[in-house]
Amino acid sequence: MLDFLRPSVRAMAGYTPGEQPRAGGVLKLNTNENPYPPSPRVFEALREALTGDRLRKYPDPLGTRFRETAGRVLGVDPEGILVGNGSDDILTILTRAFVHEGGLVVSMTPSYILYRTLAELQGADYRAVPFTAGWAPPDPWPVRRADLTFLPSPNSPSGTALPVPVLAHLADQLEGPLVVDEAYADFAEADALGLAKAGRVIVTRTLSKSYALAGIRFGFAVADPEVVQHLVKVKDSYNCDALSLVAAEAALEDQDYLRMTRARILATRARLERELARLGFEVTPSQANFVWCRRSDRPVRPTFEWLKKRNVLVRYMAYEGYGDGLRISVGSDAEIDRLLEELAGEPGA
Ligand SMILES: *Cc1c(COP(=O)(O)O)cnc(C)c1O
């Protein structure tokens, strides 16, 4: 059988998601999950969904009720919303819809590495444009002709966001679509929804982080309604199950809860940034629910290993031509206290 696999599939490494340890007692600050539970309304809606006839029947393939809710909450045309089984599903749909075999996918580095995997699966080439020292895209943009250009804002691992005029300027230079991956936009000061409404970019969102629903798998895109009509043909008919649709709709309905948990996370983030700097880390000011930190005096791999031995899991990342760093999710205040305690206790720190 192996010989019959597509060569591009055999050759690719595959995407490795952040570790999800099975053993208990591990403080997980490695995959940017929300430290707070989802809105109580999500649990209510799920309980109610289980009492009816929902599980016996197929779900709504378009997620009409979710689209109406999201359209109202975000001020966008519901027809311009595409639902997905996590925003990774949305990114896959976009790649399948826009990227030709032998085509080109472009993103930046250091950044989210799933885009490369998606390009490889599609049999396309991939190119990563380095960020400038100030976490901006180079101007002029060097690769104008691409089937698809992915840009996370806020970016992972840096946590830095690109100002809307910078995104607009970049979109103007491209001869293909720009996808702004806004997985962390709810933690940022601005977002690109206005550009998506104007049809100048495609914005992708996830409920995994700001809405604390990583286990449910739900994401969506905001794009030109006419484009969405074509994207619907590319997705699996029932890519979102009945329970995820119900949970996602209830989560979006509770904007007060989002504001409250967001405010807590931003306050803890500010404290984490200050304390990391005090411990000698170089900290990049974050617009997301994680903090990227490095050291100029030594590599941070030993720090990662030390924390891991102490049952504190953060994300270690190293990028060619850039070096390494730790991406630390903003947990609850108690969790961050524990992290800081272990960091202060590192031998040689
Ligand atoms: C977490 C993350 C996603 C994926 O979110 P899911 O909805 O859980 O698939 C997409 N892009 C970036 C940059 C992320 O960090």
Side-chain angles (χ1 to χ4, degrees), residues 86-88 112 181 183-184 206 208-209 217-218:
S87 77
D88 286 349
Y112 195 41
D181 181 344
Y184 302 101
T206 174
S208 298
K209 279 89 182 216
R217 311 304 307 133
F218 196 91

Side-chain angles (χ1 to χ4, degrees), residues 296-315:
S296 50
D297 52 345
R298 54 182 165 88
V300 292
R301 179 108 215 170
T303 306
F304 165 75
E305 301 289 356
W306 163 257
L307 289 173
K308 193 168 174 180
K309 226 168 39 197
R310 317 281 301 169
N311 274 336
V312 177
L313 205 52
V314 301
R315 194 78 180 261

Side-chain angles (χ1 to χ4, degrees), residues 94 98-99 106 144 146-150 171 174-180 200-202 227:
L94 292 171
F98 284 106
V99 181
V106 174
R144 295 176 184 223
D147 291 322
L148 207 52
T149 304
F150 285 112
L174 293 175
E175 289 172 33
L178 174 62
V179 176
V180 185
R200 294 173 73 186
V201 303
I202 297 171
V227 172

Side-chain angles (χ1 to χ4, degrees), residues 31-32 85-89 91 112 114-115 152 154-156 181 183-184 204-209 214 217-219 290 327:
T31 51
N32 304 336
N85 181 28
S87 77
D88 286 349
D89 179 39
L91 302 173
Y112 195 41
L114 178 73
Y115 310 127
N155 181 50
S156 170
D181 181 344
Y184 302 101
T204 64
R205 293 278 178 98
T206 174
L207 273 69
S208 298
K209 279 89 182 216
R217 311 304 307 133
F218 196 91
F290 55 84
R327 194 192 69 186

Side-chain angles (χ1 to χ4, degrees), residues 18-349:
E19 219 178 312
Q20 299 289 347
R22 303 211 142 258
V26 176
L27 172 50
K28 259 188 102 290
L29 300 173
N30 67 329
T31 51
N32 304 336
E33 285 137 340
N34 202 306
Y36 304 111
S39 155
R41 287 216 210 168
V42 169
F43 295 100
E44 265 168 53
L46 284 174
R47 264 193 297 273
E48 173 162 340
L50 287 174
T51 60
D53 215 9
R54 273 254 176 54
L55 298 192
R56 191 177 61 78
K57 295 188 196 148
Y58 281 105
D60 175 358
L62 293 177
T64 310
R65 287 190 53 165
F66 173 82
R67 289 167 109 191
E68 280 164 4
T69 301
R72 176 167 39 78
V73 169
L74 302 173
V76 303
D77 181 352
E79 305 276 322
I81 295 175
L82 176 77
V83 297
N85 181 28
S87 77
D88 286 349
D89 179 39
I90 296 285
L91 302 173
T92 301
I93 293 165
L94 292 171
T95 307
R96 289 168 67 195
F98 284 106
V99 181
H100 302 85
E101 269 215 47
L104 178 65
V105 172
V106 174
S107 184
M108 297 192 71
T109 184
S111 188
Y112 195 41
I113 47 182
L114 178 73
Y115 310 127
R116 171 190 287 272
T117 309
L118 294 175
E120 287 171 346
L121 271 176
Q122 192 71 3
D125 289 326
Y126 175 78
R127 192 167 152 194
V129 175
F131 273 99
T132 66
W135 293 104
D139 188 19
W141 181 253
V143 205
R144 295 176 184 223
R145 191 182 285 263
D147 291 322
L148 207 52
T149 304
F150 285 112
L151 217 56
S153 182
N155 181 50
S156 170
S158 61
T160 51
L162 296 175
V164 175
V166 170
L167 290 169
H169 176 55
L170 188 68
D172 287 347
Q173 295 176 77
L174 293 175
E175 289 172 33
L178 174 62
V179 176
V180 185
D181 181 344
E182 291 200 330
Y184 302 101
D186 286 323
F187 302 106
E189 282 159 15
D191 65 56
L193 278 183
L195 294 179
K197 272 193 268 187
R200 294 173 73 186
V201 303
I202 297 171
V203 158
T204 64
R205 293 278 178 98
T206 174
L207 273 69
S208 298
K209 279 89 182 216
S210 55
Y211 289 96
L213 286 174
I216 276 282
R217 311 304 307 133
F218 196 91
F220 61 97
V222 180
D224 180 331
E226 243 185 287
V227 172
V228 170
Q229 279 184 18
H230 293 283
L231 297 175
V232 165
K233 297 185 288 188
V234 176
K235 78 179 187 71
D236 291 347
S237 306
Y238 305 110
N239 61 332
C240 296
D241 66 77
L243 296 181
S244 73
L245 284 164
V246 161
E249 190 193 333
L252 254 83
E253 285 285 3
D254 202 349
Q255 290 297 303
D256 284 344
Y257 186 82
L258 174 71
R259 271 189 288 274
M260 181 184 77
T261 49
R262 173 189 194 268
R264 278 197 208 165
I265 288 168
L266 297 204
T268 309
R269 181 179 78 191
R271 186 166 75 89
L272 176 60
E273 289 177 337
R274 271 196 314 273
E275 295 298 325
L276 286 171
R278 211 199 298 270
L279 287 167
F281 289 91
E282 279 172 26
V283 180
T284 308
S286 171
Q287 298 251 324
N289 69 332
F290 55 84
V291 173
W292 177 241
C293 61
R294 320 176 64 195
R295 294 197 75 106
S296 50
D297 52 345
R298 54 182 165 88
V300 292
R301 179 108 215 170
T303 306
F304 165 75
E305 301 289 356
W306 163 257
L307 289 173
K308 193 168 174 180
K309 226 168 39 197
R310 317 281 301 169
N311 274 336
V312 177
L313 205 52
V314 301
R315 194 78 180 261
Y316 172 81
M317 293 187 174
Y319 296 89
E320 221 181 283
Y322 173 79
D324 70 354
L326 300 178
R327 194 192 69 186
I328 304 176
S329 308
V330 179
S332 67
D333 276 311
E335 288 172 335
I336 294 307
D337 286 343
R338 162 91 196 284
L339 164 89
L340 293 168
E341 213 174 284
E342 299 294 1
L343 278 175
E346 186 189 359

